[in-house]
Amino acid sequence: MKLMYLRPACHCADTIDWLGCSLSTDVYRRHLEMTYSIPGQTIEISIIASQNIVLATGGNGYVGAKTVLELIKRSYKVKATIRSQAKADAFNKLYPTQSTFIEWVVVPDFTSEDAMTAATANVDFVIHMASPFHFSFTDNVNEVLKPAKEMTLVTLRAAAKHPRIKRVVITSSFVAVWDLMKDNGLWPGKTYSAEDFNPATWDQAASSPNPFFVYSASKVLAERAAYEFVEFVEQEKPSFSITTFCPPIIFGPPPQPEVTIGNLNTSIDIIWSVVSGRNRSIDTALPVFVDNRDLAYLQVAALTNEKAKNQRYLAVSDHWYVEELVQIVKGEFADQAYRLPPTTRTKAPEHFDFDGAKTERDFDIEWIPLRRSIVDTMKFLYKKEEERAGSA
């Protein structure tokens, strides 16, 4: 058995920085052998030096947790912002091995420039994922629009104070591309690309009674502000470039800690509400998707991809519609068919297309298909449901 293990930071050929202590590689090797030894098997350990540190904002969320795990998989050391120590403890409990490569930084308010300036110190890259994503707000401006824009700008202003930072990757959204007011968002005949921007304005969103429109506007306004910061703020002249990704609805097994059937994130709850029988209506609001694992791969790969410098990308795998999801679940989990809503549609409603050629060309990605994404997600959800039933 060969164990490839990351080395957080390298001082010289014979020592490493392990959790703030300078250890000899022999001592570190013995620690690993004691921790990972398996009776009857020989473990070969390779210590891989990695000096690149990435700050991940919102590192314990649905997208954030998967991105943090992808960073560690690719030999980065992670510094992650989180709102409370309890959330960090929960992550560490779920991922004890990976947690040794994460420094958690408690930041209760992501619009605090002082806190974010401290958080961005001594890192090489930033992946900014923290942003308001809920529809239960009552104040469009102060609960959604302003925080989304300020979280992004504060992160960029903080990063600009540290010349060591080379790239900032920002998780935007397909709703920053999509015009959901055009033909109820379907717009047959339209092909969206990374050049398209949602035309929503601040004033429209501030007074809109539609929470989804407000959220959509918050994403495009925050993303535009990021590019304006890099391109036009002459007095700050940041040393870094930025890359933004625009994912639509996101599927894939939730990796974040303390997930239960009762606290699923928004996109996964859309699936569960249908397949659990809670929601008998069939409605596909946004008929394109990406798997969380693909998004994590893209965001990490963009850190060092020169083609991605100051570039915007669609992070879209394929089309989907609810009836197709139901048919996949019916075929793969026959014992759950009784809960599924009846379906009559055999193809998606006529709607827009998308052009993801730029993403595929620059990142050479092979997308996770819908069937695999849904099957993997449902295995996770049914297991969580069994756990809840067992603890009742």
Side-chain angles (χ1 to χ4, degrees):
M1 176 180 175
K2 185 175 182 179
L3 175 62
M4 302 298 289
Y5 214 76
L6 312 181
R7 186 163 84 184
C10 179
H11 293 302
C12 66
D14 300 316
T15 65
I16 61 170
D17 182 3
W18 176 245
L19 301 180
C21 299
S22 181
L23 300 180
S24 72
T25 53
D26 286 340
V27 171
Y28 184 61
R29 184 182 302 275
R30 287 196 297 272
H31 159 73
L32 295 178
E33 288 171 346
M34 288 186 292
T35 303
Y36 294 97
S37 60
I38 300 175
Q41 295 190 31
T42 300
I43 298 179
E44 178 185 346
I45 298 173
S46 297
I47 300 175
I48 305 169
S50 175
Q51 297 183 28
N52 286 322
I53 302 172
V54 182
L55 175 72
T57 70
N60 68 316
Y62 176 54
V63 172
K66 192 62 188 177
T67 302
V68 164
L69 296 173
E70 182 73 12
L71 284 165
I72 295 170
K73 175 183 172 184
R74 296 184 176 275
S75 303
Y76 290 98
K77 186 175 180 180
V78 178
K79 192 177 184 182
T81 63
I82 202 161
R83 291 190 183 275
S84 71
Q85 184 59 45
K87 292 182 180 295
D89 294 341
F91 190 102
N92 294 345
K93 181 178 179 181
L94 183 61
Y95 299 105
T97 301
Q98 292 90 337
S99 69
T100 59
F101 303 103
I102 306 172
E103 175 189 352
W104 293 104
V105 181
V106 177
V107 180
D109 180 7
F110 291 120
T111 64
S112 168
E113 190 165 336
D114 287 343
M116 290 305 296
T117 298
T120 50
N122 302 315
V123 304
D124 302 281
F125 305 100
V126 176
I127 302 180
H128 175 55
M129 297 170 281
S131 186
F133 185 27
H134 62 93
F135 302 119
S136 59
F137 52 87
T138 57
D139 186 333
N140 296 3
V141 172
N142 291 312
E143 292 183 63
V144 183
L145 297 175
K146 188 179 289 185
K149 185 176 180 179
E150 278 304 301
M151 283 182 187
T152 300
L153 287 177
V154 164
T155 300
L156 293 174
R157 286 197 292 266
K161 297 174 183 177
H162 304 294
R164 175 174 166 176
I165 296 174
K166 299 180 280 290
R167 179 73 51 84
V168 176
V169 173
I170 298 173
T171 310
S172 183
S173 173
F174 189 80
V175 299
V177 175
W178 182 43
D179 186 351
L180 74 163
M181 304 306 290
K182 190 77 171 182
D183 294 332
N184 291 320
L186 296 177
W187 202 352
K190 169 66 177 177
T191 298
Y192 285 106
S193 74
E195 304 302 315
D196 288 296
F197 281 85
N198 181 342
T201 67
W202 182 281
D203 289 342
Q204 288 174 330
S207 59
S208 174
N210 182 342
F212 191 62
F213 179 83
V214 178
Y215 167 71
S216 301
S218 78
K219 297 303 291 186
V220 71
L221 292 169
E223 190 182 2
R224 283 190 180 279
Y227 281 107
E228 289 170 2
F229 178 90
V230 172
E231 294 173 8
F232 302 117
V233 182
E234 293 297 326
Q235 65 271 27
E236 302 201 44
K237 289 187 180 297
S239 60
F240 55 82
S241 57
I242 68 172
T243 304
T244 61
F245 287 101
C246 300
I249 190 167
I250 306 171
F251 298 146
Q256 68 271 31
E258 300 182 319
V259 176
T260 70
I261 289 299
N263 68 359
L264 298 173
N265 58 288
T266 302
S267 60
I268 299 303
D269 192 53
I270 290 173
I271 298 178
W272 184 246
S273 71
V274 174
V275 301
S276 68
R278 191 180 80 217
N279 182 4
R280 306 297 290 181
S281 65
I282 300 291
D283 182 26
T284 307
L286 179 54
V288 285
F289 86 99
V290 71
D291 190 282
N292 200 16
R293 293 163 288 191
D294 283 339
L295 179 58
Y297 162 78
L298 288 170
Q299 296 194 134
V300 175
L303 296 175
T304 55
N305 187 334
E306 282 302 307
K307 296 176 183 177
K309 183 178 181 180
N310 293 327
Q311 293 296 311
R312 185 179 195 236
Y313 294 96
L314 298 187
V316 182
S317 171
D318 206 347
H319 303 269
W320 79 288
Y321 60 106
V322 173
E323 291 89 344
E324 183 181 14
L325 184 156
V326 170
Q327 290 303 319
I328 290 172
V329 175
K330 185 180 293 185
E332 297 285 345
F333 305 94
D335 59 323
Q336 300 291 337
Y338 73 97
R339 306 165 70 178
L340 300 171
T343 61
T344 56
R345 190 188 299 276
T346 56
K347 65 178 182 178
E350 190 177 0
H351 64 276
F352 60 83
D353 202 353
F354 67 92
D355 181 0
K358 177 181 176 182
T359 310
E360 293 170 1
R361 181 189 68 236
D362 287 358
F363 292 95
D364 193 29
I365 186 171
E366 293 185 12
W367 303 101
I368 293 172
L370 179 65
R371 178 173 291 274
R372 178 185 163 195
S373 187
I374 295 302
V375 169
D376 290 350
T377 303
M378 292 313 305
K379 287 179 180 178
F380 177 92
L381 294 177
Y382 287 139
K383 181 179 179 182
K384 286 295 176 182
E385 186 178 43
E386 288 176 5
E387 289 176 0
R388 184 176 69 174
S391 63

